[in-house]
Amino acid sequence: MSLSIRNQIPGTVTSVTTGEAMATVKARLDGGQKITAAVTADAVQDLGLAEGSSVRAVVKSTEVALATGPVGGLSIRNQLPGTVTEVSAGAAMATVKVAVTGGELTAAVTREAVAELGLSAGSSVVALIKATEVALATD
């Protein structure tokens, strides 16, 4: 199956906590970062997710926010440090490619955000991704 989602980072499930309808799945990405996904309990069963399962964290670029450093006081636990490798800006929106240990992310942000944050190749950033925006896929 082909997907238009470019943000696919490989990892391994470290824990699964399943409730009646939803589950949280924690994974260690191949680059060593930890990420949490909130998925349905059905998805855990359908994909056979368990500790040690190989997965890919899949995130749409419109769901990746960028900050110029770690952000405290947020419920967003998925904060991946990285370096901007490319910025392609249009009239209203921009795509920002970010190298993270073990992979690359693309963030779709406003052109204003690029200017306000001073983003350019070489800028240090932190990718912020809510757990509800992380899907998991198995091979």
Side-chain angles (χ1 to χ4, degrees), residues 111-134:
R111 183 183 179 121
E112 288 176 339
V114 169
E116 288 174 8
L117 296 175
L119 300 179
S120 62
S123 298
S124 292
V125 294
V126 175
L128 306 170
I129 310 165
K130 292 174 29 180
T132 54
E133 304 305 337
V134 178

Side-chain angles (χ1 to χ4, degrees), residues 27-78:
R28 178 176 302 281
L29 301 178
D30 285 0
Q33 313 93 321
K34 295 177 185 175
I35 196 162
T36 301
V39 299
T40 65
D42 287 344
V44 169
Q45 186 175 13
D46 292 348
L47 296 173
L49 298 177
E51 188 174 328
S53 298
S54 293
V55 293
R56 283 177 286 131
V58 180
V59 185
K60 292 174 21 179
S61 61
T62 54
E63 304 303 338
V64 178
L66 298 175
T68 56
V71 181
L74 287 178
S75 64
I76 299 174
R77 298 289 180 257
N78 298 327

